[in-house]
Amino acid sequence: VRNTLTGGHRAGLTAALGAAAANATHATLAGLGLWVLVGRWPTLLDAIRAAGAAYLAWLGLQSLMRACRPRRPQWTAPPAGAPSIQHRSSFVEGLTVNLLNPAIISFYLAVVPTFVSPSPPRGYFALLAASHVSMALACHSAWAYALHTLRQIFARPMVPRALELMTAAA
């Protein structure tokens, strides 16, 4: 949400691509059987969960600091053709949030295998994973475009601060 509101639909799409890359990473690890290590060492999942919580807390603290600044964020459209430095950080945020997201890890450890028969055809797991990655990317992209169209509403004076405070609280 913040990436789209501050950097436009391209920043939102870049964050969505980062999340998709993280989903593809989890799918690849699960497909290769590397998540068996989590079954063998459950503290590994606890460490990932703690890292994810710490990262989300850091993002929340950054939102709180932005909300407390005297100037409000600029959520108006950047000039046409202006290059955005934010795209790299948007990608990294999308990637990091999903890499450290225990729900995504659990999805590939517990949910996807329930759709795989004992002797599936070659590439079946990859097809399931690609379906999830594609659907999630489409959903995140739709959010980015929808929020981009709402930027003028969100640019009203009190809205950015309220959104940053709500994000920090979440």
Side-chain angles (χ1 to χ4, degrees), residues 26-134:
H26 285 303
T28 301
L29 292 173
L32 293 173
L34 294 178
W35 285 113
V36 171
L37 297 174
V38 172
R40 189 171 193 127
W41 294 295
T43 55
L44 180 61
L45 186 57
D46 291 336
I48 294 169
R49 185 179 297 123
Y55 184 67
L56 289 176
W58 170 249
L59 290 177
L61 181 61
Q62 287 181 325
S63 288
L64 184 60
M65 290 173 13
R66 279 190 298 273
C68 292
R69 288 186 191 140
R71 63 173 182 81
R72 67 181 179 90
Q74 295 297 316
W75 288 358
T76 56
S84 175
I85 304 169
Q86 185 180 13
H87 295 261
R88 177 179 282 215
S89 64
S90 294
F91 181 86
V92 170
E93 281 184 10
L95 178 75
T96 307
V97 165
N98 265 19
L99 279 178
L100 297 176
N101 186 341
I104 301 296
I105 296 168
S106 298
F107 177 76
Y108 281 105
L109 289 176
V111 177
V112 175
T114 64
F115 291 97
V116 179
S117 66
S119 56
R122 181 175 287 235
Y124 186 71
F125 183 85
L127 179 65
L128 287 177
S131 297
H132 172 256
V133 172
S134 299

